[in-house]
Every structure is written in C-alpha cells, then in structure tokens.
Amino acid sequence: DAGVTQSPTHLIKTRGQQVTLRCSPKSGHDTVSWYQQALGQGPQFIFQYYEEEERQRGNFPDRFSGHQFPNYSSELNVNALLLGDSALYLCASRGFEGDSITNTGELFFGEGSRLTVL
Amino acid sequence: AQSVTQLGSHVSVSEGALVLLRCNYSSSVPPYLFWYVQYPNQGLQLLLKYTSAATLVKGINGFEAEFKKSETSFHLTKPSAHMSDAAEYFCAVMASSNTGKLIFGQGTTLQVKP
C-alpha cells in the first residue's frame, strides 16, 4: 500500500517565479492538507481540501492556492515566489476512523517537497 | 484556539537512559494530541495519538505518552534511549471537532550519546 507521495522532491526557483507541487494521498483517503515547514520550525498549516473544495485555510496569503482532483490528488501552487517561501512543503492525507460523528483518523505525511527560492 | 509549547528545543541523553520530551497544550475544546518524529530529510511519522480513550498511550518504537488534563500536558517518554532515536520530535494538537487541522509545536531535537 503506497503511502502519501509527493513530487518533486527538490526544486530551485528564483524570486517572482511560480511553482506547482503535487501530492497523491494514501489509498482510501479523501482529505488532503498542505503544510509549510521552514528550517528549524514546526510545520504550519496552509490549507485543507475535501471533495475538491478548500475547507480550511491557515494564515497564508492568496499567493498560495491549491486544487484537489476527482481522484483525491492535490496540487499546491505558489505565485510570485519570495525568498521566505523557501521551505519543506508537506502534504498529509486523512481518512475516516471512529463513529459517524467523530473522526479520530490521523494524518499521514509524505516526505515533502523541498523548495529553495534564490 | 489551540496551541502547543514544547519545552526544550534540544534534549541530550545517553544511550540506555530515560527519554522525556515535554509538551504542553492549550485548547478551548477537547483536544486530540499527537507525537510525530522526523528523521533528517524525511517527512513526519506518527509515534502515537490520544483521542480521548485511555490517558496512557503506547506508540511505536517503545514510546509512550500520558495525557494529563489537569496539567494540560502530553509528555513523551521512553525508558531506554537507542542511538536510532536521534531525530526531531513534534507534539501537535487537533481540535476534536473534526477539523483535521494540526497545530504543531516548534519541535525538540533529541541527541543520543553513546
């Protein structure tokens, strides 16, 4: 059973460019979240997608956008890159565990895409 | 709102010694709590989770954590450290209201000395 897969693993961009990162969730999972992890920091929540819609968003500017496809895979797009966007971008997927009301399912993380902005 | 504080950005122990990584949380609703481990150049791996069942939670690789509501703590322990435990450890909280959004602490780097 493949876990969460992300591509590319590493990439280098220059300021002002745009980048697209891709994520395939764990089999059976329908919810995808994206996190940004700056060097030496804990991951910060960017947004979450479910049923092809953005359901929640963290404190990130509109330069950060995303998409979820019918097969539950997802993309993260960042426009007008800044030096401060350099980070490890993590994708996490979640299924449903527990009863009809409470989801106790955990998030499974991919290995991330490391973005360097020069 | 939820938040997590990990006390101690670096912890160093000798091989075979007790590992104690501290985590305190703040949550306005009943929380779910998690510990993740991150090895260099890798993603996050779940060690254990608390979701309002037993307060003492056992995880993988011999780790365990105890949820103490009165102290708003969820400290991670392991009786005997192994060299392979050297990594970055993150405590995280999620609102039990089904949001799926994790709030992470800043992380604790565990060093294990031979």
Side-chain angles (χ1 to χ4, degrees):
Chain A
D1 175 28
V4 179
T5 58
Q6 294 186 241
S7 64
T9 55
H10 295 81
L11 68 166
I12 300 173
K13 294 286 187 178
T14 56
R15 282 178 295 175
Q17 286 189 312
Q18 178 265 345
V19 67
T20 297
L21 308 178
R22 296 175 177 82
C23 172
S24 292
K26 182 177 170 63
S27 178
H29 286 186
D30 56 7
T31 302
V32 174
S33 301
W34 287 91
Y35 290 78
Q36 180 195 65
Q37 185 179 18
L39 197 62
Q41 303 292 317
Q44 299 286 318
F45 175 78
I46 302 175
F47 42 52
Q48 179 190 69
Y49 277 84
Y50 173 67
E51 293 185 334
E52 302 179 47
E53 291 188 11
E54 183 182 295
R55 299 293 179 167
Q56 292 189 85
R57 190 177 183 90
N59 188 25
F60 280 81
D62 293 344
R63 299 186 297 109
F64 290 77
S65 63
H67 189 77
Q68 185 179 36
F69 299 94
N71 66 353
Y72 308 123
S73 67
S74 177
E75 289 182 350
L76 164 66
N77 300 291
V78 186
N79 294 322
L81 285 167
L82 304 174
L83 296 179
D85 295 331
S86 295
L88 180 67
Y89 288 85
L90 295 165
C91 173
S93 70
R94 188 185 194 210
F96 193 94
E97 296 178 22
D99 59 34
S100 60
I101 298 174
T102 306
N103 185 1
T104 60
E106 70 226 38
L107 273 68
F108 286 81
F109 284 83
E111 296 204 346
S113 294
R114 185 165 297 281
L115 171 66
T116 301
V117 182
L118 301 177
Chain B
Q2 291 81 40
S3 67
V4 173
T5 301
Q6 291 184 240
L7 301 175
S9 58
H10 287 83
V11 170
S12 181
V13 301
S14 297
E15 191 174 20
L18 171 72
V19 175
L20 171 60
L21 304 183
R22 300 178 186 273
C23 172
N24 287 89
Y25 71 91
S26 173
S27 180
S28 55
V29 297
Y32 293 164
L33 294 159
F34 304 81
W35 275 99
Y36 282 87
V37 62
Q38 187 176 36
Y39 298 101
N41 299 314
Q42 294 190 22
L44 301 173
Q45 179 183 10
L46 181 70
L47 283 175
L48 47 81
K49 66 179 182 180
Y50 166 77
T51 55
S52 75
T55 56
L56 181 62
V57 182
K58 294 187 182 298
I60 63 172
N61 301 339
F63 284 94
E64 63 181 37
E66 186 172 8
F67 172 69
K68 292 187 176 180
K69 184 178 180 180
S70 61
E71 299 177 8
T72 60
S73 68
F74 190 58
H75 301 330
L76 181 71
T77 61
K78 181 174 181 178
S80 177
H82 192 273
M83 296 296 292
S84 62
D85 294 327
E88 187 82 11
Y89 291 80
F90 292 96
C91 181
V93 64
M94 178 191 295
S96 60
S97 51
N98 208 9
T99 67
K101 171 184 175 182
L102 278 172
I103 305 297
F104 285 88
Q106 291 288 85
T108 298
T109 301
L110 176 65
Q111 179 187 22
V112 182
K113 298 176 292 185

